Amino acid sequence: MTADLFESVGDARPARETMAEGAVVLRGFARPFEVELIPALRTIVKQAPFRHLITPGGHRMSVAMTNCGSLGWVSDPSGYRYDGIDPNSGHPWPAMPPVLRAIAATAAAEAGFAGFAPEACLINRYVPGAKLSLHQDKDELDFAAPIVSVSLGLPAIFLFGGLKRSDTPRRYRLEHGDVVVWGGPSRLFFHGVAPLADGEHGIFGRQRINLTFRKVR
Ligand code: MD3
Ligand code: FE
């Protein structure tokens, strides 16, 4: 009885919210995995450190990136692509740890996408001021599979538009532990992240880490 009251009365962040057809937010879904997740991320970043990629247009991205899994997303002046090799080391990307696989698969199943088996996990690091301009994720061959995102550390304002770049984006606050499953029609919607506001997170300090799990082929 008491638990029911705490869950339903005056809760500004419902556990589950639909942002658009096929886009489901699972608030705090990653929190129970934290203790395993954090050391796993540390191990990945030691093997494949964050780096600022250069866009085909020649701009250095304010977000720093790395990957784990059998494929990783890379950008350089020749274009965007998925590649099994980290161009900085010449070695394969670090393997995707079981805890990451488990978060992605259980969140996807919760949103109606059973059997989600991503090859790639792109890891984005934002420091205050870093942003991600409005874009579509179209470098994957399989748009039937969703993308699963996990937000960690400082909160961010996520911008969620429509199928056209000119569609005015709606703004959503994504906090530590929030997981979003982007499938169905929303899979090809324009989206981005507003410049990160300064702050201090108890575990991650002055940064936000975002994981996106992708079925590429
Ligand atoms: C909606 N990352 O890495 S995650 C990206 O917070 C990216 O770092 C943002 O956009 C971040 O490409 C947003 C949420 C997200 C990821 C992929 C999507 C939303 C999406 C693909 C289609 C529609
Ligand atoms: Fe994206």
Side-chain angles (χ1 to χ4, degrees):
M1 278 312 182
T2 317
D4 279 357
L5 273 175
F6 279 110
E7 275 164 23
S8 58
V9 176
D11 191 347
R13 302 177 79 237
R16 186 194 183 100
E17 186 186 343
T18 299
M19 289 162 72
E21 201 188 328
V24 180
V25 191
L26 306 169
R27 298 286 182 191
F29 188 88
R31 297 290 299 260
F33 299 91
E34 240 168 51
V35 280
E36 267 189 88
L37 176 58
I38 291 161
L41 289 176
R42 228 181 265 288
T43 304
I44 292 164
V45 168
K46 266 188 222 149
Q47 296 172 51
F50 285 112
R51 75 290 305 265
H52 294 272
L53 299 176
I54 307 297
T55 66
H59 298 284
R60 173 189 191 264
M61 297 182 76
S62 60
V63 177
M65 298 179 168
T66 187
N67 293 275
C68 68
S70 57
L71 291 172
W73 186 84
V74 291
S75 170
D76 65 26
S78 74
Y80 306 121
R81 66 182 181 280
Y82 282 93
D83 201 314
I85 301 294
D86 174 353
N88 283 22
S89 67
H91 297 299
W93 296 103
M96 195 182 295
V99 61
L100 293 201
R101 231 171 244 300
I103 296 172
T106 54
E110 185 75 21
F113 296 92
F116 181 54
E119 298 97 350
C121 174
L122 172 62
I123 307 174
N124 294 336
R125 183 190 65 191
Y126 298 75
V127 296
K131 65 176 172 68
L132 196 60
S133 305
L134 223 53
H135 67 278
Q136 288 173 300
D137 289 24
K138 306 190 292 191
D139 300 323
E140 304 75 24
L141 298 172
D142 182 0
F143 296 139
I147 287 181
V148 174
S149 86
V150 178
S151 291
L152 299 167
L154 287 178
I157 300 297
F158 176 71
L159 309 170
F160 197 32
L163 276 178
K164 293 177 296 179
R165 186 181 289 280
S166 58
D167 292 333
T168 305
R170 286 187 293 169
R171 299 161 74 88
Y172 291 88
R173 186 179 151 100
L174 292 179
E175 294 183 9
H176 178 77
D178 290 350
V179 176
V180 193
V181 180
W182 317 85
S186 78
R187 173 67 183 74
L188 287 168
F189 282 11
F190 277 89
H191 59 277
V193 178
L196 194 76
D198 201 357
E200 178 75 30
H201 183 268
I203 301 166
F204 285 87
R206 290 181 75 196
Q207 56 178 347
R208 168 176 188 259
I209 304 288
N210 179 266
L211 316 176
T212 48
F213 295 91
R214 297 136 187 275
K215 177 98 188 78
V216 176
R217 43 168 75 133

